[in-house]
Amino acid sequence: VELSCSADFEIRKEAVWALSNPLEVATPEQVAQLVHQDCLRGFGTALGADEPRVVLCALEGVRHALDKGAELAKLNAALAPNAFHGYLNQLQLVEKIT
């Protein structure tokens, strides 16, 4: 997670790929652990990349996290409508995406 935010571009790029891929197949609880370890910040950093494939990977990572956040919210009404939406707002990712 740390490398996705602070390393040189090639390392950040690989770190974003390494974070995004497991989010698709992880359980909502596993994704929650990654989100709480600040993986969304790395995606936010990647959204400013010049390589479209890196930006797409970051967007997919955010989408996977939101999908799992919606699943968590269905299990716990206190997290509705999405368990991770607040993190996106804190990191100002919504503004970067729209």
Side-chain angles (χ1 to χ4, degrees), residues 25-40:
V25 296
T27 66
E29 293 79 11
Q30 290 169 325
V31 172
Q33 288 298 315
L34 286 171
V35 169
H36 292 294
Q37 291 179 22
D38 217 14
C39 76
L40 294 177

Side-chain angles (χ1 to χ4, degrees), residues 5-6 12 16 20-21 23 30 46 49 54-55 57-58 81-82 88 90 96:
C5 297
S6 60
R12 278 196 326 261
V16 167
S20 180
N21 289 334
L23 292 182
Q30 290 169 325
V54 175
V55 174
C57 179
N82 192 298
L88 292 176
Q90 287 175 354
K96 288 183 180 181

Side-chain angles (χ1 to χ4, degrees), residues 9-10 13 16-17 20 43 45-61:
F9 177 72
E10 289 300 315
K13 178 172 68 172
V16 167
W17 285 98
S20 180
F43 296 139
T45 302
L47 289 174
D50 291 332
E51 290 185 26
R53 291 180 58 193
V54 175
V55 174
L56 180 59
C57 179
L59 289 171
E60 288 175 347

Side-chain angles (χ1 to χ4, degrees), residues 59-94:
L59 289 171
E60 288 175 347
V62 170
R63 180 178 58 90
H64 296 315
L66 287 173
D67 288 347
K68 301 300 177 162
E71 288 180 39
L72 276 177
K74 287 180 185 175
L75 300 173
N76 183 348
L79 299 174
N82 192 298
F84 306 135
H85 191 264
Y87 286 103
L88 292 176
N89 284 332
Q90 287 175 354
L91 297 171
Q92 299 177 336
L93 289 181
V94 174

